Amino acid sequence: MVTNLQLDNGAQVSYPLLSVKIFLENGEVKSFRALNEASIRRADRTMVADVIINHVPFERFRGDGLTVSTPTGSTAYNKSLGGAVLHPTIEALQLAEIASLNNRIYRTLGSSIIVPKKTRLN
């Protein structure tokens, strides 16, 4: 009988990481790395955020928040938000909306968007 441990050839596996920078009102900058995802939310009221992709305005989001996930994180919170599951070899990030506000006045994409890994999201 051959087990998976016996077949392990010691190959190295790498996972894409998400680099996150948060700019605080007092001028302080916080930097983080994430394996799965990063979320930005407002707890006390509807969040309004201009989503900018590679310095180009994409949408004005209104809702509970936004999450950016790596392929590893696409099976976690992102999936529960209705996002796609990305194969681990796809070098991309996924931006998903958390409870977006859509009515006659305010419209958001209402879907996740998949962008290449070198994309800058603001």
Side-chain angles (χ1 to χ4, degrees):
M1 178 174 176
V2 177
T3 66
N4 286 340
L5 290 176
Q6 291 171 330
L7 297 176
D8 184 5
N9 62 4
Q12 185 176 16
V13 178
S14 65
Y15 296 97
L17 295 176
L18 184 61
S19 178
V20 179
K21 282 190 180 178
I22 299 172
F23 299 87
L24 302 176
E25 289 179 347
N26 66 5
E28 191 178 350
V29 179
K30 303 251 183 189
S31 296
F32 302 94
R33 295 217 181 246
L35 177 62
N36 284 349
E37 75 271 325
S39 298
I40 181 169
R41 296 183 258 184
R42 251 200 122 115
D44 58 344
R45 62 181 181 264
T46 299
M47 184 178 95
V48 179
D50 291 322
V51 177
I52 301 169
I53 301 175
N54 289 334
H55 308 289
V56 177
F58 179 71
E59 76 168 340
R60 174 161 286 167
F61 170 81
R62 287 178 173 84
D64 285 354
L66 295 164
T67 184
V68 178
S69 66
T70 65
T72 305
S74 71
T75 60
Y77 192 23
N78 171 73
K79 184 173 179 248
S80 73
L81 294 172
V85 174
L86 297 180
H87 190 276
T89 61
I90 296 175
E91 294 186 348
L93 298 172
Q94 191 165 179
L95 176 68
E97 299 175 344
I98 303 170
S100 60
L101 182 62
N102 283 295
N103 56 37
R104 291 185 307 148
I105 299 169
Y106 302 120
R107 305 298 299 162
T108 63
L109 186 61
S111 173
S112 65
I113 180 171
I114 299 169
V115 296
K117 81 170 184 176
K118 295 289 184 183
T119 301
R120 182 180 177 105
L121 297 169
N122 294 44

